[in-house]
Amino acid sequence: MKAIDFSFIIPVYNRPDEIKELLESFLNFEGEHAYEIVIVEDGSTQTSEAVITQFNNQLDISYYFKPNSGPGDSRNYGMQKAKGNYFIILDSDVLLPSNYLIEVNRFLATSYYDCFGGPDAAHRSFSNLQKAINFAMTSFITTGGIRGGKQKVEDFQPRSFNMGLSKKAFKASGGFGKIHPGEDPDLSLRLQNLGFKTALIQNAIVYHKRRISWSKFYKQVHKFGMVRPILNQWHPNSKSLVYWFPTLFSLGCIVSILLAVFQINLLLYVYGLYFAVAFIIALITNRNLSVAFQALLAIVIQFFGYGYGFLKSTFNLVILRKHPEEAFPQLFF
């Protein structure tokens, strides 16, 4: 069995308050584990250095400041500087449960993988908006479990808010690419092509805070939709009809409303049933009426934002035959 010494890699951009909360969650870790924390400041104007200094006597932290070049390149920079032989990559807007490293270590000690991902969840302290968006992003009824809510362990595509990567896999792959978002599934797929296996550690949960507004949420999922056809072009084996679902769902919703104008209501009833089921699940999950109602809005924004982005990107890449960098320069650093 390979020795596992962990290095947490955390890029940060103008989020000193988030880093403080994240580092405080490290202090609550259970068990005895050898690990370091590598924080890479990605050209921030509001730096985290003063906050990080407060934890230097309690945690093994390395802090680096570099010009802005995007989260993928910052993660690569952090992994190049890290001393461990296994890297755990986190976003700055997550909180760690006290048993996080116990779960990771237990899984890798018995079933070693060179790359893993873990699910995200909403902490009880999160706002209703954050909980509603978390539901839309993680529920099986919306994303089908692709973010960690399913039972399948192998061939999982980790997301970089909660992702592990061995030093061997990092060196073989070169790490993250220049696209953002989408740099994490791109890396996962390249690793699989190189013969490395990826896995889901279901119990390695992080609380993903997502300091976000409705408008920012739309922009985020819209970019997710734009990125997926690019990934499908780069990795043809990853293509799936599943990625068309938000587009078809959105178009079907528009059609159902138009048909209802002519008293053809069957399709509208189907959508009504779907949203009723989603509301009930959100209510049971969160036990909060406000969260359940806001979850419906989050689902609509997610499907329409992603679906429109996916359709627009597919049109540009497949019909107009544009190169990704030409069609969507804003997605590349």
Side-chain angles (χ1 to χ4, degrees):
M1 178 50 60
K2 303 175 184 179
I4 302 170
D5 297 313
F6 296 106
S7 295
F8 286 89
I9 313 298
I10 308 167
V12 60
Y13 180 71
N14 289 336
R15 298 289 178 88
D17 291 341
E18 284 183 354
I19 280 294
K20 182 178 181 181
E21 291 180 323
L22 175 52
L23 292 178
E24 285 172 345
S25 70
F26 276 99
L27 297 178
N28 296 320
F29 267 4
E30 299 171 357
E32 297 293 329
H33 305 284
Y35 66 89
E36 66 166 341
I37 302 169
V38 180
I39 298 175
V40 181
E41 193 90 60
D42 187 25
S44 301
T45 55
Q46 296 176 281
T47 69
S48 304
E49 188 171 12
V51 172
I52 293 166
T53 301
Q54 301 171 23
F55 294 86
N56 282 342
N57 293 330
Q58 299 167 284
L59 297 167
D60 181 1
I61 303 177
S62 299
Y63 172 78
Y64 300 95
F65 184 95
K66 53 176 279 300
N68 179 257
S69 58
D73 187 61
S74 295
R75 296 181 192 113
N76 293 342
Y77 183 92
M79 287 186 281
Q80 291 167 354
K81 298 291 185 180
K83 295 174 285 190
N85 68 351
Y86 208 102
F87 310 129
I88 299 179
I89 299 150
L90 303 173
D91 280 354
S92 62
D93 62 349
V94 304
L95 304 175
L96 297 173
S98 59
N99 66 336
Y100 177 84
L101 207 45
I102 290 176
E103 297 295 344
V104 171
N105 195 54
R106 178 186 295 139
F107 184 94
L108 293 179
T110 56
S111 305
Y112 186 86
Y113 286 80
D114 284 284
C115 181
F116 78 82
D120 57 336
H123 192 268
R124 61 181 179 275
S125 66
F126 287 6
S127 71
N128 288 346
L129 172 61
Q130 290 168 330
K131 290 176 181 177
I133 290 176
N134 179 80
F135 177 83
M137 294 290 284
T138 63
S139 175
F140 183 83
I141 199 172
T142 55
T143 59
I146 63 171
R147 295 176 69 89
K150 58 183 180 179
Q151 296 296 319
K152 185 179 179 183
V153 173
E154 288 195 346
D155 298 327
F156 180 67
Q157 292 181 20
R159 299 301 191 266
S160 52
F161 60 78
N162 183 13
M163 180 179 188
L165 184 67
S166 71
K167 179 181 285 188
K168 178 182 178 182
F170 169 61
K171 289 184 175 180
S173 64
F176 294 94
K178 296 292 186 181
I179 192 170
H180 177 72
E183 71 275 17
D184 30 17
D186 170 58
L187 175 56
S188 301
L189 292 165
R190 285 190 285 112
L191 286 171
Q192 291 172 11
N193 290 336
L194 290 169
F196 293 99
K197 291 185 177 181
T198 62
L200 166 68
I201 305 180
Q202 280 190 297
N203 293 329
I205 295 170
V206 301
Y207 300 116
H208 201 178
K209 198 152 193 175
R210 293 193 184 92
R211 298 182 183 226
I212 203 166
S213 64
W214 289 121
S215 61
K216 289 180 180 178
F217 180 50
Y218 174 82
K219 290 177 182 177
Q220 182 186 57
V221 294
H222 184 64
K223 285 185 176 181
F224 288 162
M226 290 162 61
V227 160
R228 180 49 63 175
I230 298 174
L231 297 178
N232 290 345
Q233 187 180 84
W234 291 351
H235 309 281
N237 292 336
S238 71
K239 291 181 179 180
S240 172
L241 288 175
V242 171
Y243 300 126
W244 276 97
F245 178 75
T247 302
L248 297 177
F249 182 97
S250 303
L251 293 175
C253 188
I254 294 171
V255 170
S256 72
I257 295 171
L258 293 176
L259 289 176
V261 174
F262 299 97
Q263 305 301 314
I264 304 173
N265 297 319
L266 179 60
L267 188 58
L268 190 64
Y269 292 153
V270 172
Y271 276 89
L273 177 62
Y274 173 85
F275 283 110
V277 172
F279 177 83
I280 292 170
I281 295 174
L283 183 61
I284 293 172
T285 303
N286 294 279
R287 300 180 182 180
N288 185 303
L289 274 172
S290 176
V291 172
F293 280 115
Q294 289 186 75
L296 299 183
L297 177 57
I299 291 171
V300 171
I301 291 173
Q302 176 174 287
F303 282 161
F304 274 80
Y306 186 104
Y308 173 53
F310 185 91
L311 189 63
K312 179 171 65 175
S313 182
T314 299
F315 180 79
N316 275 273
L317 299 181
V318 178
I319 305 301
L320 300 183
R321 297 187 179 278
K322 290 184 178 181
H323 293 290
E325 294 86 346
E326 173 194 0
F328 306 108
Q330 71 273 28
L331 298 179
F332 295 87
F333 277 91

